Structures are given as structure tokens and as C-alpha cells.
Amino acid sequence: MFRRSWNRFCAGEEKRVGTRTVFVGNHPISETEAYIAQRFCDNRIVSSKYTLWNFLPKNLFEQFRRIANFYFLIIFLVQVTVDTPTSPVTSGLPLFFVITVTAIKQGYEDWLRHRADNEVNKSTVNIIENAKRVKKECEKIKVGDVVEVQADETFPCDLILLSSCTSDGTCYVTTASLDGESNCKTHYAVRDTIALCTAESIDTLRAAIECEQPQPDLYKFVGRINIYSNSLEAVARSLGPENLLLKGATLKSTRKIYGVAVYTGMETKMALNYQGKSQKRSAVEKSINTFLIVYLFILLTKAAVCTTLKYVWQSYPYNDEPWYNQKTQKERETLKVLKMFTDFLSFMVLFNFIIPVSMYVTVEMQKFLGSFFISWDKDFYDEEIKEGALVNTSDLNEELGQVDYVFTDKTGTLTENSMEFIECCIDGHKYNGVTEEVDGLSRTDGPLTHFDKADKNKEELFLRALCLCHTVEIKTNDAVDGATESTELTYVSSSPDEIALVKGAKKYGFTFLGTRNDCMRVENQRKEIEEYELLHTLNFDPVRRRMSVIVKDQKGDIYLFCKGADSAIFPRIQIPEPESTKLRNAIDSTKQHVERSAMNGYRTLGVAFKNIAPDDYERINRQLIEAKMALQDREEKMEEVLDDIETNMNLIGATAVEDKLQDQAAETIEALHAAGLKVWVLTGDKMETAKSTCYACRLFQTSTELLELTTKTIKECERKDRLHELLIEYRKKLLREFPKSTKRNCKKRAWTDQEYGLIIDGATLSLILNSSQECGSSNYKSIFLQICMKCTAVLCCRMAPLQKAQIVRMVKNLKGSPITLSIGDGANDVSMILESHVGIGIKGKEGRQAARNSDYSVPKFKHLKKLLLAHGHLYYVRIAHLVQYFFYKNLCFILPQFLYQFFCGFSQQPLYDAAYLTMYNICFTSLPILAYSLLEQHINIDTLTSDPRLYMNISGNAMLQLGPFLYWTFLAAFEGTVFFFGTYFLFQTSSLEDNGTVYGNWTFGTIVFTVLVFTVTLKLALDTRFWTWINHFVIWGSLAFYVFFSFFWGGIIWPFLKQQRMYFVFAQMLSSVSTWLAIVFLIFISLFPEILLIVLKTVRRRSARNLNLELPMLLSYKHIDSGYS
């Protein structure tokens, strides 16, 4: 029992090796054999983190793992166990407040998860038991149960499709809740079970499914089904992703299906994908930890100094034991070392408020609430997809303002991924897809060779290849009869390229009419219907970079049609005989056409075919079936078979498809460059296509000098020697141009000096990354990085997904740890999105895998401009000011307490009342800074987006560097000193009233505290540039609440207090005119340096308004506004 529970709760972590066997309907294969039901995970979904019983201990354990919370817990325990000068309430209440608020937030979020889980687990589903339809709760589904799913219902677990209401055993599914793809996908039942369309017939099925153990990849599945007849002879069929219906997907355009449960509950692919991404930490969070260590050192220093001076003070007998406060016998007998230790702890307790415990809660609230501004931004809303921006994690908001490198995909990110068929080349002849049709096929706009047109048979063969070599489905209103000539065809595919090619063939007179019963139907130019039996589909994958189909025509001839990237097709073309001049010229002409089309920015594909003899097909079919039936290493075995099949092909031609540049993509890249960011394009496309796109989107300017490290510039022979020569040559050139430059100078040089761009392909990158130190003292990688650092833009083409992640990791590990951002729209971009500091997904047409795995997702690339230059800038400034302000106000708070010890004999006497100690961070000063950190706009958003150079002012974590930190620290030290000694000099006259009433130490402390609260609040008011009614309410409201609380706290005799030391203190204090004048004067003196700084900068700004001056580096917050508002 314990083992089952453990497996259920840790389903995502278990080591999944081997296979599992599932008996369909939980029926034994043979009536004579004993059947022992296997134990699998039940179908309950558990996305919640806590239960009613473990919430308190588990949540407390997680919260006290945070250093600040644990520190205050220790302080609280010290106050409880040791005789300290302050009440345990002063530390316990703020800690309790922080812990409670966080627990309520996390408990509420978990309650929502519990509620969502129950909605799913308690929903009703139909199970086939004993040939009858039985209604059960979803959580009671067991592995092996046969489930009936109706149209528009979601699948309750991962099912293998057995049959559907359609005659060919297909069904249509949308997986929007899994990967965001809204288009219908087609799934298939194996041919032996498609006739089992009723509960009675499905119950007669005796079959066993062998499949891999659960794993989270949504697009991979390996299994086979063994179907047993009455003779107990098994018929084995392979199972793949096309047979698996995932939990969370929805059945569409199909009345009902039957499926058998193979993965349930926390073992479904959807549940396994709950596992969170690795936690990313922002630079601000690291700065907070550094500041905490510094302030902890200050705290320990203060406690050590006070403890030492106390015993120096008590070295004189009349100070150690005055006549009015003699020691008890117990105090005299206590060990001096123990007494010193307890005194040290007492001083630690007295000064512990220098560590701001409430800062963590405020930072969390600021990040959580601030993230809504991105989601609410109307400029991010896209009318086409009816969606806006989405924040998947709010922990990195401020990191958007610290980006140094942007890595972007090309297709679907910089371009629309909306393909349009432009032209093609058939047998070396170019055909323009825009001209009118002549004799069925569009008129050529000029041959590349001396022939006017290609052979008619070659033209038709090419168009048939476009109509047959794809995975396009037909979506029609007539679901029974399929597509006809009069039916309006809607093509559906996961790849926009394939739809563009099928539409291009239709324009030339060859129309794909769909697939029925494994038979592909094509209408030719003569309006005749041609039928081809689809024998095998060899799907596209990023490694092969091509896809193929094997079909049989009505005459019985078998063909393989293949299309793919030119680099994947041309090496597999059958080499012509030396005397075949015409064929050789056709291949050369096609290559030239591909290169020219790529230079024009078009996406190119090669198209090839070959005839397959019946004997060869038998061998190929056997190899494919064996590879598909393998449960172990199926992908590797399939790769070997496909590599053998797709060889010695005959080239037919090539296609050119235009992928238009996204709206404002060029303007966005220009703005990012102006902001000092380096933009790298990482793409799998051809170099010529990618280079053309880079010029179009202004990544490369016409004046940019391009440095190439590609297979063209590096000869095949002696590649490493040539690569080393080029690396050394480029490095010398760049070092000569830019001898030595700081990070800031690198950003500024783009306005004056020659710009350089680098182009590298995947093969050369592999050579660089895998090289050893063979050449001199530096290896290829270090020289390559030096070159990249000097280039304003880098284009990496022919990149595999893993290489994209390697590039990002390489830049992340550069000296100085630059902040990286990756943006992409497809599954091949997920690796680099997860690798970078900030990952942004485009809600594109290649599915939502990138958006699901990103930290932020936006509809278009153009939205990156405002996301970084406006939102990122503001988020960083707000939270940096919040952090500095918290440490500043707490140092102002505690410094007078430290100075007070010099005037009270280091007796650990508190300066402030316990209520003030408790409520300072919770009530009196918390809301103004929270409102500021959410609403402040020190520079108008339009100005931030129109002048990208402002982004450079905050780069490199500028506001949390040593300079600003020291500025805030010295400002706090100055103001704390003014608070204390100003009040001290006021008290040189013992009576502050005409009637001779003498004020005491609590009045002294209250005056200091009043000046403190008003000064730190008014300091924030001086820093505020963007006033709203919320700012006014919380700033003036906090001050009013402090005055009201002080009157209320001191105006009533509280029965639960042993000492009424604050009774009437505040009211009596304000009855003195001297006190009023002193408070106003001390506030003015404390704020005078800030006021003076504002005046000086205003004068400087006005004098520099018409001058084109360098933007200043930050010293304190308001320096950001200097010179350009």
C-alpha cells in the first residue's frame, strides 16, 4: 500500500525503463490461463501541493528555508528565552504577519488547484463493461478499461484509439490545452479494430498492448498491439503517436470513438508535463542577498561594538553597580563569558530591525501584481488570434530591463510563417507562380537553360509529387462522402509550407482531394481523378530535414516521392553518368535556381523521386515494419532504414515559398540595437535565405562588413587549418578596429565606427565547439567568442535545436555573465528558451510549445520592443528603488537606536515603544513603497519606446551597484544622525513647556520616530514622478494613520499592558510649540540634500536640453531622469 501511494505521488520522478503490458478491457487472452491484474496508477489527477493535514508543517518548513524568515525566527526565540530589552512581540508579530500572508496566498492558490482537480476527477465518463455502457467517475478509470468518448468531450486519460464512427477508423482531435495548436489533427486506429464500432463488438476484442513506460514527451510514443483471434494466433501491429489520444485533448468532428486506457492519472503525458521548469533567479534577487549579507555584517558589528563598550563602561564600579540598581546574587554569580554572550544576543535583538523582514513579502506582491500590467497592456493584443501577452512567471519582470543579448529564431518569429507559393524549377526550368495558366501549367518567365520548357511528363510528375508528398488533411463540410470537385476544400496541416505547396499545385491544375481508406485522390489538369494507395509515410524530422511517401498507382507501379531542404536532398541524388550532359545541366540549373531564390529571401525545398521494384518494396516494407514494431531504440532503427531507403533518387525540381517579414520586425531590431542590445539570429534555414531576411529586418545594414565562417569559406580539405586561419584573421582585424573597449564603449561605438556582422553555420560551429587546444595557446572557441563580442550582429544558420541551446549557454558563461533572452515560436526553439535567463515564446502557427515553455509569451515579435524598453525598464527601476528604499528606511530606523546606547550606558534600553517597533514596517511605511513600485513612471512610456538609448542607463544592474548602494547607505546614516542629535540638542532644555513639565525618554524616542516616519515617507514623495490618486492616498494616508494611531495608542489605558509608558505622551508632545518647530526643522534638514540635488539637476537638465550629451550613468534613482526628460 505504501509503495503504491509513493509511486502515485512521485509518478513524475520514477525511473521509467522497459515496457508495460496492457490487456484491452482487462480481459485475459485465454480463458484457460489464470489472469492476474497488474497494478497501475489510478486516474486521479493531483496537481495540488498540500493536503489539509500537511499544509501547516509543509508550508512552514518551506517558508523557514528562506534566510530572512529563519533569521527572525531565531531572533524571536532568543527574545523568548533570554532577558532582552524588547518584547518578543516586536519580532514575532512582523514575522507572524509575513508568514501568515504568504501562507494565505499559497493556501488559496492550492485550494484553487484542489477545486480544479475535483472537477476533473469527479466528472462522468462511459466505460464498456460486459458489452454495456457504464457511467463512472473519471478517477475510477483503470489501465485497460475501454472508454467511449463523444464529440466535443475531452479524453479522460491517455487512450489508444481502437475504432471510431467513421469507416476508416480516423478521428479529429484538437490539442489546444496541451500545446496550444488549435488546428485539427488526425489520429488513426489500426486496421484490425476499425470495424468494432459498438459496445458489443468492442467487448469481444482480445488483445494486449505492449508500450513504453510513461514519459512526458507529447510527440513520442512507442508500442505495439497483439490482436488474438479464436486460434490464439496473434496479429501484431505497430503503434505510434498517431494512435495515441492524449488526456486533455478534445474530440472534434467525430461523433464518438472507443479507446483503451494505457496511461492514467499522474502517469498521463499531461500530468508528467506539470513538472516545473528549472527555477530562474534574477540579478535583483542576487543583489538582495548580497545586501542582506552586508547589513547582517553591520548588525553583528553594532552588537559587538555595543557589547564591548558596555563592559568598558562597567569597568568602573560606580557604573557597573550604582546604588539605585544593585545586582542580585544570581547576577553576581553568573559567568562573565555567558553574560557577555547573552548581552551580545540582546543587542542583536535590539538592532535586528535593520534586516527588513517585510521586504520579501513586498517584493513578492510587487512582482505578482506588477505582472498584470503586461497582461493588461492593450498594445500586446493581437486581433488575428484574439489574444494578448501572457506571463508564465512573474519572478523575472525586472530581468526584462537587464538584457544584453537577444537570440531570436527566424521563421515564425521574424517572419509571418504564412507561406505563399512563389515559383518553382522543374528539370532546370524556372516557372513563375504568379503568371496566368497556359496549357494547364503557368508560363515560364525564361528558362535557366536553352530549353523553353520542361518535358510535359516531368511537369506532371513534379505536380503529382507536390500533391502526394505531404501530411495535409482535407477539412470539408461533407464528412460522409469526402471531397468532391464542387466541395470547397480547406487544407489543414501542422506545417504552413505543405499547405502552400499543395495550393501551388492546385494553381497549376493538380488538386489534392484528400485521403480515403489509405487511398490518396488527385484531380489532374484533365479533370481526371487519379488514385494512389498510400503504403508508407516517412514523416519529417529535424535531423533528416526531409519527408517521403511511398505510393502505388493504379497500374501497380510503386514510387517514392521525397521533399526536403536542399542540403538533405542534393547529396542523395543519383549521380548522372558522364555522358548525361542534359541531366547534369538540369541538376546544376536547379541548384542555381535554389541559390538565387534563397538570396531573394525565399524558403526553398528540393523534390525528388524514384521507382521501387516490387522485390525491393517487399524488403523495404519488411524493414519498416520491423523498425516500427521495435519497442526499444525504435527511432534509431527507423533512422537507419530511412537512410537506406532515401538514396539514389532522381531530382525533379525545387520550390520557392515566400515567408513574409512580420510587421515592424525591422523597426524592433533597430530599436534593440539602439538600446545597446546585441541581436543574434539562430535559424535552421539556408545561409542565403537567412542573410536576405537579416538585411530585410535591418539586422545587417548595407554598410555592415560581413565575416563568414561557413562550409563555403572553409574548404573541405584541411578544414581545421583554414578555420584557424580565418579565426586568427578576423580577430586581428577586429582588435585593430576596436583595440580595447569597456562594455559601455562597445555599446556606444555603433553610432560612429564600422559595424561588423558574423555569419556561421552549424557544421562550422560543431567544428569550433568540439575542437581541442591544438592551435597555439588559445582554442577555437575562445577566439570565436572574442570575434562575436566585437560584432554588432551574428547570424547562425543551419542550426540544430541543440546547437541553439549551446550558443546561448556559451554566451551566458562569458566573463561578466551577460543577461540573455531567447525568443522563438516553435518546438525547435524550446531548448534555447529554457537555457536563457529570460525565455519568450511567440504564439505562432507552429503550435504553442515555445509559448508553453517560456517565461513570457507575446503574439508578435514587434511586442518585444515595448516589453523590454518600457515594461522591462520600469520594472527594474521600480524594484531596484524598492530594495534600496527598504534598506535605507531600516537603517534610518535603527541608527538612532544604536546612537542612543552611548547615552544610556549601553543598558539595552529601547529608544522606541514596542508598538512602534512592531508597526513601522507593517503599517506605517509599507503601502507607499508598494504603490510606488507598482505605479511609478519616472519617464513616460512613449518616451521610453521612442528613445531606446534610455535602456542603456539601467543596464548592468546599474541601480544596485556599489555606488548607488553607498549613496543610499550614507544618506540613511546622515538622516539617522540628524534625527537623533537634532532631538538630543532640543532636549538640552529639560522643560519644553512654559509650565515646567519635564519630558522623558519615551517622549524623546517618539519625537525621533515621528521625524523618522515623516522623513522617509516624504523622501518617497520627492522621488515620485508619476502621481496618481493611489499614491496620494497611501502617502498622506499613512502619515495620517500614524498620527491617529499615536493619539489612539497613547490616549487609552490598555488593560492588557503591564506598563502604560506611552499614555498621553504623543498628545503632550504636540502641545509644545518647540516640539512642532523641531520636528518640521529636522525633517527639512534631513531632506535638504535631496532637495538641493533635485534643484541642481533641474538646472543642469535645462542647460543641457538642446545639447546632444552622453547619457549619464546612475548614482541614485533620480539620475536616470537627468538630461533627457
Side-chain angles (χ1 to χ4, degrees):
M1 182 66 184
F2 173 77
R3 185 177 180 182
R4 287 184 67 194
S5 301
W6 177 260
N7 286 340
R8 182 167 66 247
F9 287 107
C10 302
E13 301 297 329
E14 64 178 284
K15 187 178 181 181
R16 294 184 170 82
V17 294
T19 61
R20 62 167 52 184
T21 302
V22 178
F23 294 98
V24 177
N26 288 312
H27 297 309
I29 299 304
S30 172
E31 299 292 341
T32 59
E33 295 180 7
Y35 171 66
I36 301 175
Q38 299 185 60
R39 293 182 175 182
F40 295 109
C41 171
D42 61 31
N43 200 39
R44 284 192 303 130
I45 286 292
V46 182
S47 63
S48 55
K49 191 175 184 179
Y50 307 106
T51 65
L52 189 62
W53 311 110
N54 71 7
F55 174 74
L56 197 59
K58 191 173 182 179
N59 186 266
L60 289 177
F61 173 74
E62 289 178 348
Q63 291 206 57
F64 283 119
R65 286 195 303 176
R66 181 169 277 172
I67 296 175
N69 289 347
F70 184 72
Y71 161 77
F72 271 88
L73 177 64
I74 297 298
I75 292 294
F76 174 72
L77 294 177
V78 168
Q79 287 179 295
V80 172
T81 56
V82 179
D83 183 18
T84 55
T86 56
S87 167
V89 175
T90 58
S91 293
L93 191 59
L95 179 63
F96 177 76
F97 172 78
V98 169
I99 296 296
T100 302
V101 168
T102 306
I104 289 173
K105 173 180 171 287
Q106 293 178 351
Y108 174 71
E109 290 174 348
D110 203 61
W111 175 77
L112 293 177
R113 286 192 286 267
H114 270 285
R115 190 173 68 174
D117 289 345
N118 285 331
E119 288 180 3
V120 174
N121 293 332
K122 300 299 181 182
S123 60
T124 304
V125 294
N126 293 320
I127 309 293
I128 305 303
E129 289 184 355
N130 300 321
K132 295 181 181 178
R133 186 186 297 108
V134 179
K135 289 189 178 294
K136 283 188 176 183
E137 290 181 345
C138 180
E139 64 183 2
K140 295 182 179 178
I141 296 176
K142 302 188 299 293
V143 171
D145 284 347
V146 176
V147 182
E148 179 185 294
V149 180
Q150 305 284 343
D152 298 320
E153 290 181 352
T154 57
F155 301 114
C157 56
D158 289 351
L159 305 168
I160 291 296
L161 178 61
L162 296 176
S163 63
S164 73
C165 62
T166 59
S167 58
D168 56 357
T170 60
C171 70
Y172 296 98
V173 170
T174 59
T175 56
S177 61
L178 295 172
D179 57 13
E181 294 188 34
S182 56
N183 57 304
C184 289
K185 299 180 178 66
T186 308
H187 288 255
Y188 307 89
V190 294
R191 67 184 69 172
D192 305 84
T193 62
I194 58 176
L196 307 176
C197 300
T198 63
E200 292 78 12
S201 60
I202 205 78
D203 194 57
T204 63
L205 178 64
R206 296 296 180 267
I209 294 173
E210 295 176 83
C211 60
E212 62 185 355
Q213 291 288 359
Q215 52 97 359
D217 194 323
L218 297 174
Y219 309 100
K220 289 184 180 178
F221 176 74
V222 175
R224 64 171 173 246
I225 182 170
N226 299 305
I227 303 168
Y228 295 86
S229 62
N230 294 331
S231 61
L232 296 182
E233 293 181 359
V235 176
R237 302 294 182 197
S238 66
L239 299 174
E242 67 277 6
N243 308 113
L244 184 67
L245 305 173
L246 299 178
K247 177 181 176 66
T250 305
L251 184 65
K252 293 288 185 183
S253 303
T254 311
R255 189 162 48 84
K256 70 174 180 179
I257 63 99
Y258 292 103
V260 58
V262 286
Y263 305 131
T264 53
M266 298 306 292
E267 291 183 339
T268 59
K269 289 182 180 289
M270 184 181 77
L272 294 178
N273 276 276
Y274 285 152
Q275 299 172 18
K277 303 181 286 290
S278 59
Q279 189 67 30
K280 296 180 180 180
R281 295 176 60 211
S282 68
V284 170
E285 200 171 332
K286 297 172 186 174
S287 298
I288 291 175
N289 292 337
T290 304
F291 292 169
L292 277 175
I293 293 172
V294 172
Y295 271 73
L296 186 60
F297 176 75
I298 294 173
L299 171 63
L300 294 172
T301 303
K302 283 183 175 182
V305 168
C306 287
T307 303
T308 304
L309 292 178
K310 175 177 182 176
Y311 283 91
V312 172
W313 168 265
Q314 290 182 352
S315 61
Y316 300 98
Y318 54 83
N319 289 334
D320 184 30
E321 193 175 358
W323 60 269
Y324 57 84
N325 190 20
Q326 295 187 3
K327 293 180 179 179
T328 62
Q329 188 65 28
K330 182 180 179 181
E331 288 175 329
R332 291 192 182 96
E333 293 174 356
T334 304
L335 286 173
K336 193 167 187 179
V337 174
L338 182 60
K339 188 70 174 73
M340 289 180 69
F341 180 69
T342 56
D343 282 333
F344 178 78
L345 290 179
S346 297
F347 280 116
M348 287 262 309
V349 169
L350 191 64
F351 303 141
N352 78 84
F353 285 95
I354 197 173
I355 306 295
V357 64
S358 59
M359 180 179 67
Y360 280 108
V361 172
T362 309
V363 167
E364 279 192 10
M365 292 178 67
Q366 191 269 350
K367 288 185 175 184
F368 175 71
L369 297 175
S371 63
F372 286 105
F373 289 111
I374 294 178
S375 304
W376 292 337
D377 195 326
K378 294 180 179 178
D379 290 341
F380 292 155
Y381 184 79
D382 186 73
E383 288 291 342
E384 184 180 348
I385 63 173
K386 305 297 181 185
E387 290 184 47
L390 180 65
V391 179
N392 295 324
T393 174
S394 60
D395 293 336
L396 302 171
N397 294 341
E398 65 276 9
E399 205 80 336
L400 294 170
Q402 294 297 296
V403 176
D404 297 304
Y405 286 83
V406 174
F407 300 93
T408 175
D409 178 41
K410 184 185 78 69
T411 306
T413 305
L414 295 177
T415 60
E416 290 282 1
N417 202 14
S418 179
M419 309 300 177
E420 181 183 354
F421 186 88
I422 298 298
E423 60 190 25
C424 63
C425 176
I426 305 174
D427 200 28
H429 298 264
K430 180 180 176 183
Y431 292 82
N432 191 324
V434 184
T435 58
E436 72 276 5
E437 292 183 11
V438 176
D439 192 23
L441 192 67
S442 294
R443 187 175 60 228
T444 178
D445 64 350
L448 297 180
T449 66
H450 58 277
F451 299 102
D452 292 334
K453 287 184 68 174
D455 182 72
K456 182 69 174 177
N457 292 330
K458 282 286 183 72
E459 290 178 352
E460 293 188 352
L461 182 64
F462 177 80
L463 295 175
R464 285 191 185 94
L466 296 187
C467 283
L468 296 173
C469 188
H470 55 74
T471 57
V472 174
E473 296 289 339
I474 299 289
K475 188 177 181 182
T476 66
N477 296 325
D478 190 353
V480 178
D481 297 329
T484 63
E485 296 178 43
S486 60
T487 308
E488 182 62 32
L489 298 177
T490 303
Y491 295 120
V492 177
S493 174
S494 58
S495 171
D497 296 76
E498 291 195 324
I499 296 178
L501 294 178
V502 172
K503 287 182 176 179
K506 183 181 179 182
K507 186 191 304 183
Y508 287 138
F510 272 71
T511 305
F512 173 61
L513 299 178
T515 304
R516 182 193 299 172
N517 298 326
D518 288 335
C519 187
M520 303 182 77
R521 303 172 69 242
V522 176
E523 182 185 81
N524 61 25
Q525 294 170 338
R526 297 177 292 277
K527 304 300 180 181
E528 299 168 349
I529 304 298
E530 300 177 2
E531 294 190 351
Y532 297 85
E533 182 183 353
L534 179 61
L535 301 176
H536 289 284
T537 301
L538 314 180
N539 288 317
F540 174 88
D541 66 66
V543 178
R544 288 167 52 238
R545 296 178 59 79
R546 60 186 181 274
M547 69 89 59
S548 303
V549 293
I550 301 177
V551 296
K552 181 193 288 187
D553 65 11
Q554 292 165 314
K555 298 177 182 178
D557 296 329
I558 300 175
Y559 298 93
L560 177 134
F561 291 104
C562 180
K563 74 171 188 289
D566 58 295
S567 59
I569 295 294
F570 286 126
R572 297 182 169 273
I573 298 301
Q574 191 173 11
I575 301 174
E577 297 294 332
E579 60 271 12
S580 303
T581 308
K582 181 179 178 181
L583 186 58
R584 191 178 295 276
N585 288 339
I587 294 175
D588 292 339
S589 299
T590 305
K591 288 182 178 180
Q592 292 175 22
H593 168 78
V594 167
E595 290 180 2
R596 290 175 186 172
S597 298
M599 292 179 68
N600 292 330
Y602 300 144
R603 291 166 59 87
T604 57
L605 290 175
V607 182
F609 88 105
K610 75 173 180 179
N611 290 93
I612 300 177
D615 293 340
D616 289 337
Y617 174 72
E618 290 300 324
R619 175 183 57 83
I620 290 171
N621 184 53
R622 186 172 60 254
Q623 291 176 340
L624 284 172
I625 291 175
E626 287 176 1
K628 288 181 178 179
M629 295 297 291
L631 295 181
Q632 301 294 334
D633 303 323
R634 178 183 288 187
E635 291 182 4
E636 289 78 4
K637 293 176 180 177
M638 283 293 294
E639 187 177 344
E640 291 179 11
V641 175
L642 298 183
D643 189 62
D644 179 57
I645 296 172
E646 297 168 330
T647 54
N648 295 322
M649 297 184 291
N650 301 302
L651 183 67
I652 314 175
T655 63
V657 174
E658 183 181 22
D659 187 7
K660 295 180 180 178
L661 206 63
Q662 278 197 18
D663 181 38
Q664 297 182 34
E667 291 82 351
T668 301
I669 286 184
E670 273 192 332
L672 296 179
H673 271 150
L677 279 66
K678 292 190 175 182
V679 182
W680 292 28
V681 173
L682 313 181
T683 179
D685 269 1
K686 280 176 62 68
M687 186 189 77
E688 292 80 9
T689 306
K691 188 198 291 189
S692 175
T693 303
C694 288
Y695 274 114
C697 68
R698 300 174 201 165
L699 181 75
F700 296 150
Q701 305 292 333
T702 52
S703 60
T704 302
E705 185 174 339
L706 297 182
L707 311 176
E708 291 189 15
L709 289 172
T710 63
T711 49
K712 286 187 178 181
T713 56
I714 303 171
K715 302 290 190 295
E716 284 296 328
C717 54
E718 301 179 353
R719 291 181 66 188
K720 286 196 173 184
D721 293 338
R722 178 57 181 155
L723 174 61
H724 183 249
E725 290 175 7
L726 277 176
L727 288 171
I728 297 298
E729 177 188 336
Y730 290 161
R731 183 175 67 171
K732 285 181 180 179
K733 185 172 191 172
L734 291 169
L735 288 178
R736 197 165 52 243
E737 187 78 25
F738 315 114
K740 280 192 178 178
S741 53
T742 63
K743 185 176 180 180
R744 286 192 71 215
N745 290 336
C746 283
K747 290 184 176 182
K748 290 186 296 177
R749 71 162 190 252
W751 300 99
T752 55
D753 299 328
Q754 169 68 47
E755 290 187 2
Y756 287 88
L758 176 68
I759 301 177
I760 185 170
D761 60 13
T764 310
L765 180 68
S766 297
L767 205 60
I768 290 173
L769 294 180
N770 299 328
S771 66
S772 57
Q773 291 188 347
E774 298 171 356
C775 309
S777 59
S778 301
N779 60 14
Y780 292 163
K781 185 176 176 182
S782 63
I783 303 175
F784 172 67
L785 285 174
Q786 291 177 40
I787 295 171
C788 291
M789 292 281 287
K790 302 294 183 181
C791 292
T792 54
V794 177
L795 167 62
C796 304
C797 50
R798 296 297 195 198
M799 289 284 118
L802 185 60
Q803 287 182 310
K804 292 184 178 184
Q806 288 176 329
I807 290 267
V808 175
R809 190 182 307 117
M810 182 176 66
V811 174
K812 272 175 65 177
N813 296 330
L814 285 173
K815 184 179 179 181
S817 301
I819 305 299
T820 58
L821 179 147
S822 295
I823 180 169
D825 72 316
N828 59 333
D829 303 315
V830 170
S831 55
M832 75 170 182
I833 285 174
L834 294 178
E835 183 64 42
S836 60
H837 293 92
V838 183
I840 297 181
I842 300 287
K843 298 177 180 180
K845 298 179 180 179
E846 291 187 7
R848 299 292 174 89
Q849 297 96 314
R852 283 193 307 115
N853 288 277
S854 64
D855 303 303
Y856 304 87
S857 59
V858 292
K860 299 289 185 184
F861 180 77
K862 66 180 180 181
H863 298 138
L864 186 64
K865 177 180 177 181
K866 186 176 183 182
L867 187 65
L868 296 186
L869 303 186
H871 287 285
H873 188 118
L874 293 175
Y875 280 133
Y876 175 76
V877 169
R878 291 165 180 168
I879 201 166
H881 195 274
L882 181 151
V883 170
Q884 297 278 29
Y885 180 79
F886 255 97
F887 285 105
Y888 151 81
K889 72 185 181 71
N890 278 40
L891 184 57
C892 287
F893 181 40
I894 255 2
L895 184 61
Q897 178 75 73
F898 172 70
L899 296 174
Y900 187 57
Q901 297 308 302
F902 289 85
F903 295 87
C904 66
F906 305 98
S907 60
Q908 300 156 10
Q909 168 66 33
L911 177 62
Y912 311 116
D913 180 64
Y916 289 155
L917 285 171
T918 304
M919 300 187 68
Y920 177 72
N921 279 316
I922 296 177
C923 299
F924 299 149
T925 60
S926 59
L927 286 180
I929 185 59
L930 178 61
Y932 175 94
S933 64
L934 289 172
L935 303 172
E936 174 62 5
Q937 293 181 25
H938 61 294
I939 301 175
N940 184 273
I941 288 181
D942 292 335
T943 305
L944 288 172
T945 52
S946 61
D947 189 355
R949 294 174 301 164
L950 302 179
Y951 191 84
M952 287 191 284
N953 269 19
I954 59 169
S955 62
N957 201 15
M959 291 182 64
L960 293 176
Q961 294 297 327
L962 180 63
F965 176 70
L966 291 177
Y967 169 81
W968 282 93
T969 302
F970 283 123
L971 183 65
F974 167 76
E975 293 180 1
T977 305
V978 170
F979 300 158
F980 180 81
F981 285 107
T983 309
Y984 175 78
F985 288 125
L986 174 68
F987 269 68
Q988 295 304 301
T989 303
S990 57
S991 175
L992 299 179
E993 294 190 29
D994 296 337
N995 58 10
T997 303
V998 178
Y999 284 1
N1001 64 313
W1002 296 114
T1003 305
F1004 181 88
T1006 303
I1007 294 176
V1008 172
F1009 191 79
T1010 303
V1011 177
L1012 163 70
V1013 171
F1014 273 79
T1015 300
V1016 298
T1017 305
L1018 292 175
K1019 164 75 170 76
L1020 194 62
L1022 285 174
D1023 287 343
T1024 302
R1025 296 289 179 273
F1026 185 75
W1027 285 91
T1028 66
W1029 68 267
I1030 298 176
N1031 296 91
H1032 284 289
F1033 178 77
V1034 295
I1035 287 178
W1036 314 124
S1038 294
L1039 295 177
F1041 174 74
Y1042 164 69
V1043 174
F1044 170 79
F1045 174 82
S1046 297
F1047 274 116
F1048 183 68
W1049 180 245
I1052 298 176
I1053 297 178
W1054 300 96
F1056 56 83
L1057 294 178
K1058 295 179 181 179
Q1059 301 168 336
Q1060 302 291 331
R1061 55 194 182 192
M1062 292 300 293
Y1063 181 66
F1064 212 60
V1065 167
F1066 193 76
Q1068 186 183 27
M1069 178 190 79
L1070 294 184
S1071 65
S1072 169
V1073 177
S1074 302
T1075 305
W1076 276 92
L1077 292 174
I1079 290 173
V1080 173
F1081 180 71
L1082 290 177
I1083 292 172
F1084 175 76
I1085 291 297
S1086 301
L1087 295 176
F1088 181 73
E1090 283 288 303
I1091 297 171
L1092 184 63
L1093 201 60
I1094 291 173
V1095 171
L1096 291 175
K1097 286 195 299 181
T1098 303
V1099 172
R1100 180 187 173 190
R1101 183 166 60 245
R1102 288 177 178 174
S1103 63
R1105 180 168 292 173
N1106 297 323
L1107 299 177
N1108 185 19
L1109 298 180
E1110 174 194 344
L1111 298 175
M1113 288 294 286
L1114 294 172
L1115 178 61
S1116 71
Y1117 157 72
K1118 290 182 296 303
H1119 283 203
I1120 300 171
D1121 197 30
S1122 178
Y1124 46 80
S1125 69

